[in-house]
Amino acid sequence: MSTISIAVVIINVILALLFSLGAAPILVWIERRVAGLIQDRLGPNRCHINGIRLGGLIQSFADMLKLVFKEDFKAKAIQESFFFSLAPVIVFASAFLSFMVMPFADDLIINGERFIMQGLPMDLGVLWFLALAGLSVYGIMLGGWSSRNKYSLLGAMRAGAQVISYEAAMGLSVVSVLITYGSIHLGDIVAYQGQLLFGFIPAWGIIIQPIAALIFIITAFAEANRTPFDLAEGESEIVGGFHTEYSAMRFGLFFVGEYVAMSASSALIVTLFLGGYHLPYLNTQTLQAYMPFILMVLIVALPLGSWSAMRWIQKHNRWHKANDIRNHESAFLQKGLIGLNVLVIAGVGALLVLGLSETSTNVATAVIQIATFALKLLFMNFVFVWVRWTLPRFRYDQLQTLGWKVLMPLAIANIFISAIIVVARGL
Amino acid sequence: MGIKIVPRHGNTLKEKLYLPAIFGGMKTTLSHLITNLSDTPEIKTINYPEEQPHDISERYRGVHRLTKRDDGSVRCVACFMCATACPAECIFIEAEERNDGVDEKMPKRFDIDLLECVFCGACVEACPCDAIRMDSGIFSFIGKKREDFVLSKEQLLANEEKKA
């Protein structure tokens, strides 16, 4: 193994960590701030480190620290303490591992060596995700059962029944997608979505397979235990559901696991239906062919975007009390933005002036694709949060009815239709 | 009185699909989010300890105060009406004779335990001399130990009426 290949593997692992584990505090922040703003409240905005509060992001880190240092309390009635401790680990690990097959960028070619840009370079793709996402419910059921608490047990039962009814519909909707793309490898699926449909529409999954996309997104909400399908928690009915008896970092693992699972589901939705790492109309080949132009557009667009961001910061990022240390934050953020601009423009300008070699074009493509993937992932996560603060929770029988009587027949019908279309096109 | 027939909802295809209603709801929440990020936010929250609430009514029942006569002495005559009326039994009065010729009796001690008090205002209603009122406008009272919450006669006399 050469130095470059080791470096690329390490970068891949770090990126996978960032997108899943590193995203958890950011997602908690987004959840709380978006919830506040949607409900005409402020949300957490006071916590700061030397005046820097990043719109309240520091609060997430403070909360994490609190969870780590809290007393690890366990009720006396809990006898199966091994399973009690194992449960959050299963939830967290399965959510975390299911993220590892998401491709962040097209295969990177450096000096003739080909690297698959995902956390674990394997081509199990969708199957890996389905296997591990289904595993996480064992953690919930184990936790609910070993808690020795009727509310926990009720939550665990609900989670189990919910996953059984929604995993079927999810699997079937994925089958129709796989029939269309003809591969289970997520890299191939994304490459397929780089094409154009009828020559002018990007062939994204949501356009080719709208019904499968709808079913998959709905079942992904259920799979990640998010509202409107968060009956397993059901804090208004069964205290805290499966994590009633959990505290400190054991609860923290459940909590982070939920957000990692949400991020993993979003990543799969992006990969299957929203074109993965592709910018619309720019698949890898066109991106590489027009790289100088795209870099020039970047040089123009980045300062414009930063300028409007700075104007927003000047107007809104104020602390209501004069002479507070938090008032220095705006200047700091603006300096940071200017510094970022100078760095990026200098780097890209140097690339353009010196001329693009093949390797640098490939690396630039990968960076642009990773940024695109990150943005799409962020958007999809925002949709998860947005839906949570819009819709109320389903009643238990409504949930079962929707799963078995609506989504499942729809998914089966969709398989037949897509199979007929694929065969007819092949004739 | 005629019979009003309420039409049943939820039977048309559009309503059974649920999705139009869901997207409508998501549009509403998104419009709130965008408004609150824009130049004219409609956020109702105040930044509490720095910004004080401005919509507390004049009739708000805050921490009690003992009123004074024109000469500045305590108006209370230690008749125990408030302590009798109190449902939480949080008023403790010890009476003494008043020798300055203004009245016959006055409280030696007049303690109110705010941790017991339910802020019902029954003491104010019961007082025949208008000696106890709850118009100080103090809505948050802070102490570091339980004893801090037992207000003495001097503390109650020091509370001023809230100026509008």
Side-chain angles (χ1 to χ4, degrees), chain A residues 33-34 36-43 45-46 214 218 311-312 315-316 319-321 324 326 382-383 386-387 389-391 402, chain B residues 18-19 21-30 32-33 35-51:
Chain A
R33 277 325 284 273
V34 168
L37 292 173
I38 280 177
Q39 299 170 349
D40 292 345
R41 296 186 285 114
L42 279 168
N45 66 346
R46 310 185 80 91
L214 186 68
I218 292 173
R311 263 192 49 179
W312 192 90
K315 250 186 196 160
H316 296 282
W319 193 248
H320 45 274
K321 207 170 116 201
D324 196 282
R326 296 177 182 91
F382 170 73
V383 171
W386 179 15
V387 168
W389 297 103
T390 304
L391 298 181
L402 183 69
Chain B
Y18 294 123
L19 287 174
I22 288 174
F23 288 131
M26 288 173 74
K27 206 177 112 192
T28 309
T29 44
L30 187 69
H32 275 263
L33 178 71
T35 317
N36 290 330
L37 283 175
S38 73
D39 291 351
T40 51
E42 282 182 25
I43 292 170
K44 307 287 192 296
T45 326
I46 56 165
N47 292 291
Y48 167 59
E50 293 97 11
E51 272 175 47

Side-chain angles (χ1 to χ4, degrees), chain A residues 24-26 28-30 32 56-65:
Chain A
I26 297 174
V28 175
W29 167 63
I30 290 178
R32 298 180 66 184
L57 185 55
I58 303 297
Q59 181 77 47
S60 305
F61 295 104
D63 285 345
M64 286 278 161
L65 275 180

Side-chain angles (χ1 to χ4, degrees), chain B residues 70-112:
Chain B
D70 291 338
D71 61 355
S73 63
V74 62
R75 197 186 277 270
C76 177
V77 294
C79 68
F80 287 74
M81 292 279 265
C82 50
T84 312
C86 181
E89 298 183 353
C90 68
I91 303 179
F92 310 99
I93 305 172
E94 200 178 304
E96 68 178 343
E97 208 165 321
R98 189 164 185 169
N99 295 322
D100 55 0
V102 182
D103 221 324
E104 290 150 23
K105 231 171 131 195
M106 63 185 263
K108 188 176 165 196
R109 277 178 60 219
F110 192 107
D111 295 348
I112 296 182

